[in-house]
Amino acid sequence: MMKLAIMVILFTAYHAQAEVYGQQVTVQVQQTEIKKVLNELEKKAKVRFLYNYELTTLNKKVDFNVQNTSLTVALDKLLKGTGLTYKVLDDNLIVIMNAGDGEQNQSNRVTGKVTDETGKPLQGVSILIKGTAKGTTTNEQGVYTLSATAGDVLVVSYVGYDAQEIAVVADKGVYDATLQSGKSQLSEIVVVGYGTQRKKDVTGAVAVVSADDFKDRPIVNAAQALQGQAAGVQVFAPSGKPGSGMNVSIRGNTSLNASNAPLYVVDGVIVADINFLNAQDIESFSILKDASSAAIYGASGANGVVLITTKKGTTGKGRISVNAYTGFSNFAKKIPVLNKDQYLALMTEMGYTDNNTGNTDWQKEAFGTGHDNNLQLSYSGGNADNKYYVSAGYQKQSGVVAPANYERYSVRVNLSNKVREWLNVTTNMNYVTSKSIDVADNAGVAKGGTILSALTSPPTIGIYNPDGTFTSNPNKGGWENPIAAAFGPDQQARDNRLIGNLAADVNIIKGLVFRSNMGIEYAGYRWDYFLDPFRTDYGRAQKGYGKSKSTQRFVWLWENTLTYNKRWNDHSLTALVGTTMQESNYNESYAEGRDYPNASVGSLNAAAIKLISTTTQAQWARRSYLARVNYAYKDKYLLTANTRYDGSSRFPSGSRYGWFPSVSAGWRISGEDFMSTQKIFSDLKLRAGWGKTGNDGIGDYDYWARFSPNGTGGFNFNNLAKDNLTWEKTSQSNLGLDAAFLHNRLRLTIDAYVKKTTDLLVSVQPPPSGGFDKQVYNLGAIENKGLEFAVMGLVLDKAVKWTVNANLSINKNKVTALGDYTKVLTYGSIYDGRGDAIRVEVGKPLGAIYGYISDGVDPQTGMIKYRDLDGKAGITADDRTYLGYAQPDFVYGLTNTFNYKNFELSFFLQGVQGNKMFNASRMELESMNDSKNQSADVLNRWKTPGQITDIPKAVKGSTDNTMISSRFVENASYLRMKSLSLRYNFTGNFLKKAGISRLGVYATGQNLFTITKYKGFDPEVSQYTDANSIGIDYGTYPQARTFIFGVNVDF
Amino acid sequence: MKRISIYIIASVSLMMALQSCTKDFLQKEPISDALPSEINAEPLLTGAYDGMYDEYYTSDYMAVGEVQSDNEYAGGDNPAIFQIDKFTVDATNALVQRDWGYLYTNIKNANIVLNYVPTMNDPRLTADRKQQILGEAAFLRAWHYFNLVRLWGSVPVITGVPNNVSEMFASKKPVDTVYAQIIRDLEFALPKVQATVANKGIVSKGAVNALLAKVYAQKPNPDWQKVSQYCDAVTALGYDLVADYASLFQVSGKNSKESIWETQYDGTTHGNWLTGMATPWVWGDWKKFYIPTHTVSKAFDDEGDLIRKNASMKFINTSWADDYWPQPVPVINKFPDPDQKSNNPRLRYADILLLKAEALVNTGDVNGGMDIVNNRIRRRVTLGPKSAADANAAKLVIEKERQLELAFEGHRWYDLVRTGRAIDVMNAQKDGNGQSLGYNLTANKLYFPIPQNEVDRNPNINK
């Protein structure tokens, strides 16, 4: 009977919601049917009206004149006095109906005002009675009125804000609402691979971290923003050096030798890392954790995908933003070492003589105060057709250990232009140039490691000799003081990046969009090193030493996708097919020379002897075909299916392509009728998915039989042909639950997963007698199982508002197979010649520490007693066993935010629990076998028979007491106050007068304190960055404690 | 609906067409490496020779051949070398593991020449040159096995090229089998290689004969007739002692008539960084890895052998304190060039002459042997004649003469092992104050254990 003509226009969801109310419309007509006016408005405002054609009122002719008026105001005006009203649905649908349909009982009128956090009225907010189609919207003053009865629940929602539910307690009354701009609202748009989805439609495991979550923190490396913020995402800093990279792993490590880093996609451009990105340009991170969401990236999706969306312009008056901060940093911890007298006593005991008389505190000399400075300027804005965001940023981080330094300039231009009715072009361009100065770490004093030099240089010496050269250990020339290690070499690295893309969206006809996206990444890197011929021992011996390295990488990516959207009755369907091509060209040159006549020119043109000069080139390419279907029935039953067919140049033609399918389903239980009367859940959704993803993160030419030039006229056959080398495959099953309680005040997400990686790409270590070095084969398997919990709660919502955001992830990792002939693989070499500390074996997790069990100091001999496990006489290699595991039992993050009036206080705690670290630094500090200074703990060293102590005796030249043993395996669990931040947002008329729309000041402390039993500087470090050799600390540069003061101003 | 279908079909066809316009898009051949079809014989041989510049042949051979003996102490800060010095090595010792690896890598590179070159279609390669290449590679393989068998005893014998890792699980073979392979390779090489060469880095008939002599002397049951025969063959090629002993180790004295085989260093393409490990002249004045012993110093002094002592070691004041010597500390002087241009002598005619003397003594001609020692070796360095009452005394004289003549050239430990004197000599070692060094050397420590990484990765090694 009632025919509803439903017309649906399909846009990518990305455009849809934001434009409903933002549109300014201009319509001037005389004596025109309301129906036709609505048609006009549809065109102007890009919305669709739904109405019953039998509504005769619509045929009434009216004079209608609006100019640059918002759609809602225009509609209010148009429908005034007609007895008609309207209701806004999702996806730009607006229902026109008789007012009586929505307001049956005029007597039960509830009313209220809806404002944003700053008290500004919000117009066009949807007010809906839960479980019904009854609703209205707010007017220009933010006021709404509708009829409701006690027991009803009002759902107040507005794009870009968290929805709120208000219980109606009396038939009449005033119910005001303050909406919070938020990220986690159910109608929030989530960026997924090759498109966007409403969060409520997502069936995979996707975590979102948005700019608000890290806004007041001094983020230098964009990955820092992810640490502790998303369940299932583990981030650690292998080094605290300015500008150093972060290790990111999503749901455990799936690979032994191929890459474990997630795939990073910035605005649709795949990039190798995100170290260079200016975090303040980032709008949000979408982390695709499970296979069903990542499978659309089939290739390299096995480690998860991090989609980064940078800030875009929004409709409205142009906005100028300034964000600046300045601050300082230092090390939170000092390790007590021997003073002059204690040191000399130890040296005398071992038979060394040292006639120097100084008493230098090397940690004081080497570890100073770092400085952090940042300035970001941006302007953004636009209209319905053209939007822009342009920013320029400057960031400088001077390290606690001078001269370590990182300095970055970045420029970004993001444009979106509607060139034709049917054509929208998106342009994103980002240029970043950075300069960094390194100080050597992760090395002992013998190899120039600055951190260990600061701990082990004798207190007796000063910085310089009388002739201006650097001092070194009096009993060991070449072991130079930390200032020499840091300042001896003059070195600098420069990194230039250009990433950008140009994407055209062509609306072919309604529902069908063709998108072509061309992206590029250019990376140019240059490193120069010069050791002058005078000040250091090695420099003098070599008469100066110079090194230089340049690399260039150019990657292009071309993606073509076709998206079809259709919605009919209770069905909604989105289908996507596409193709992608990607190619990388890389080249590298390296040169080394020595013998410089003076220190005035350090570049290699001044070196008399050229030692090395090489260039190399490499390429890789990928080609893919992809398809996806999203289907929803009544918004309650959701299904997503993906498939991708990927080819990689890294595999031979016979095994080059792989299929990576996935399927997932969601059930919005709260949408069921039987749930409409319950009061507990405001939302409840069950998700389940399975999928397969791949990894080709190996060398570019591993399958080829290769003869490599050795640089001196010869060629060596080093790489065997592997005709069957193919994709490493990870199958993952995911079960998830999203629940919201108490009118969305408490939200909970739980995910459980099992990931099985097969055809593991392993760098097999052949028997040395085979004569070949490592060869990459598909063998073995790794399993990761995990549980993730994320909780968001609005604990208090009074004058003081308190929100809590917590997450906890448990991941169990196990190697389940290593093929037919590989028994063990070893990693993590311990200086010097003590062997490898990390062992990979079937049944054990990655990062298993392997060595001898120390049974403490023998009171009779003063030597460490190692446990004899094999029963054979003496301590042999067979007495080694597993001593601990570097992977934690769980990791967690907790953010608390308090708002009171204009103040905002937030603190962020982050921790890992249950992991062990091999503290090789302590091995250096308690070895007592040479003339290094030692930690103050060695004051308890064994001196006489019968003495009970845990520190053995000093034995010159012996490493018997410092073998790889449980003596140096420590609990590295920690809980860290990652960030504490206090902000004040100014309000008041003076801002308006000054033309300021927003002004905030803040102070933030980062890494304020760390609760840990770990004895080294920092439990969150690693000498090696590969997943297979984590868990070793060897003089690693620790993370600094940073204090910053900042200001944001918007004009 | 129909219109949509047409658009979809058209768009998808367009995408597929764009995608497939580059057919070989995923075929990326190595740019900076060569494929088997692109490789020729000469660079493979050069690649095999370059093993002589690896860490084993540049530096570690000093640790295993001299530090292990009574000629050198371990210095530096490397516990793995301390273990070698003190006979406390185990299967995880870094040098034990890496040197085994280097030697087998070098054997692999020789195997590649020997397996690939015979069937290689290389139009620029003459038949003669092809034979030379095979001969030189066979010599190199024999030379590496000789070092393996001297250090480890029973080792795997690998002569082929594997196709994949599963073909790399070889069992160790008895010492005799290893020596048989070495001799087979050398006999194969002898007719093929050049008779004489100007660049003594290249393998010639002199080198093959000299190595055959050394092999027959080192075998568990030495064949002194063969030793004698091959020593004579070396002499017949025209080698002779140079007059000035010290000149042998100077850059100006490279490739002399006394030199049979020596590794060439030009300081740029190949720098002899042993000088940096043993002296302060390249890498600075830090504690050096190889320090002459009081024993060898005293041995020179007891003979009044100033010429060879000064050519072999030099006393200098160091900025570091040595574990065994007060200031001044002696450092090795046989690789003295600060620009890393000193060559490493591998086979020298004096070595062959002394082997000839030993062969004569062992075959009953004590006087003939002593004649070489006195009139050839000692006379050159202006030392008076020694006498020996019997063959055993003569052998001891020759042993001492070899220690002084060949000091720090990587021979001493193997001499002590083959004469069965290692245990007696090493356990009698004393420091500068006359205190025993307490080496406690026993027969089971004369050879290194099979490296732990080989045991871990090769299930067949002990089968």
Side-chain angles (χ1 to χ4, degrees), chain A residues 621-785:
Chain A
R622 285 195 199 121
R623 174 149 57 189
S624 312
Y625 304 86
L626 54 102
R628 176 172 59 200
V629 175
N630 294 316
Y631 170 75
Y633 178 68
K634 284 191 167 172
D635 281 357
K636 284 189 297 198
Y637 309 107
L638 310 158
L639 185 77
T640 303
N642 280 305
T643 188
R644 184 158 165 148
Y645 185 59
D646 273 298
S648 168
S649 66
R650 287 170 174 168
F651 303 123
S653 54
S655 50
R656 185 167 282 164
Y657 280 90
W659 274 110
F660 301 102
S662 80
V663 61
S664 59
W667 177 26
R668 164 157 299 99
I669 304 169
S670 55
E672 297 289 351
D673 292 344
F674 63 79
M675 292 291 282
S676 59
T677 51
Q678 58 84 28
K679 297 266 161 58
I680 303 167
F681 295 102
S682 24
D683 183 61
L684 185 63
K685 184 170 74 175
L686 199 58
R687 294 176 277 109
W690 171 88
K692 209 161 143 185
T693 45
N695 192 343
D696 69 347
I698 53 171
D700 292 330
Y701 304 111
D702 280 342
Y703 77 84
W704 294 89
R706 286 195 335 257
F707 289 77
S708 305
N710 65 6
T712 54
F715 275 71
N716 292 125
F717 183 29
N718 291 335
N719 200 67
L720 295 166
K722 286 140 204 126
D723 297 335
N724 300 313
L725 200 66
T726 191
W727 292 90
E728 178 175 292
K729 298 167 197 81
T730 298
S731 300
Q732 186 179 180
S733 304
N734 189 80
L735 191 63
L737 181 79
D738 298 321
F741 308 88
L742 304 169
H743 308 314
N744 281 325
R745 274 181 66 165
L746 178 65
R747 286 191 294 273
L748 173 69
T749 297
I750 302 174
D751 276 284
Y753 60 88
V754 179
K755 273 172 110 170
K756 287 185 175 165
T757 307
T758 53
D759 283 340
L760 207 59
L761 287 164
V762 177
S763 286
V764 174
Q765 300 167 343
S769 63
F772 282 85
D773 203 355
K774 293 172 189 172
Q775 304 287 317
V776 175
Y777 286 98
N778 291 103
L779 51 91
I782 283 183
E783 186 179 277
N784 285 277
K785 288 182 194 170

Side-chain angles (χ1 to χ4, degrees), chain B residues 6-7 88 140 143 154 167 188 219 268 413 456:
Chain B
I6 292 166
Y7 281 121
T88 56
L140 289 172
W143 165 255
S154 292
E167 291 175 16
F188 170 85
K219 263 159 47 79
T268 51
W413 172 250
D456 286 346

Side-chain angles (χ1 to χ4, degrees), chain A residues 45-214:
Chain A
K46 319 282 178 334
V47 295
R48 276 295 173 268
F49 294 107
L50 309 178
Y51 48 81
N52 185 346
Y53 285 116
E54 291 162 15
L55 280 175
T56 48
T57 325
L58 291 171
N59 299 328
K60 187 182 163 191
K61 290 187 177 170
V62 294
D63 287 331
F64 186 64
N65 189 351
V66 288
Q67 294 213 355
N68 287 328
T69 312
S70 78
L71 179 64
T72 49
V73 173
L75 280 174
D76 287 340
K77 191 173 169 188
L78 177 65
L79 302 179
K80 197 173 173 188
T82 60
L84 295 176
T85 186
Y86 65 93
K87 193 177 83 150
V88 178
L89 303 176
D90 286 329
D91 292 326
N92 299 1
L93 294 174
I94 298 174
V95 178
I96 309 289
M97 56 194 169
N98 270 318
D101 295 347
E103 298 181 28
Q104 286 152 349
N105 189 342
Q106 293 288 324
S107 60
N108 294 339
R109 287 166 66 87
V110 295
T111 183
K113 186 176 180 182
V114 182
T115 53
D116 70 5
E117 303 120 305
T118 61
K120 207 177 96 193
L122 290 172
Q123 183 191 0
V125 175
S126 150
I127 316 288
L128 204 63
I129 296 174
K130 198 177 173 188
T132 73
K134 290 193 282 182
T136 185
T137 54
T138 56
N139 63 16
E140 272 173 291
Q141 286 74 45
V143 174
Y144 71 93
T145 307
L146 89 168
S147 68
T149 50
D152 283 349
V153 174
L154 304 181
V155 180
V156 183
S157 61
Y158 190 57
V159 170
Y161 289 80
D162 286 346
Q164 241 180 62
E165 297 194 356
I166 302 171
V168 178
V169 294
D171 289 352
K172 291 182 186 178
V174 176
Y175 299 93
D176 291 344
T178 304
L179 293 184
Q180 304 292 331
S181 63
K183 61 178 170 78
S184 49
Q185 169 203 18
L186 296 174
S187 60
E188 176 202 351
I189 297 300
V190 177
V191 180
V192 296
Y194 301 101
T196 56
Q197 250 185 317
R198 295 183 303 185
K199 181 158 174 86
K200 68 180 187 183
D201 294 343
V202 170
T203 53
V206 179
V208 175
V209 175
S210 59
D212 222 32
D213 296 326
F214 54 88

Side-chain angles (χ1 to χ4, degrees), chain A residues 477 583 623 706 710 712, chain B residues 19 28 33 50 108 282 286:
Chain A
E583 185 184 60
R623 174 149 57 189
R706 286 195 335 257
N710 65 6
T712 54
Chain B
Q19 185 82 346
K28 301 289 185 206
D33 282 332
D50 276 355
K108 180 257 302 182
V282 176
W286 39 264

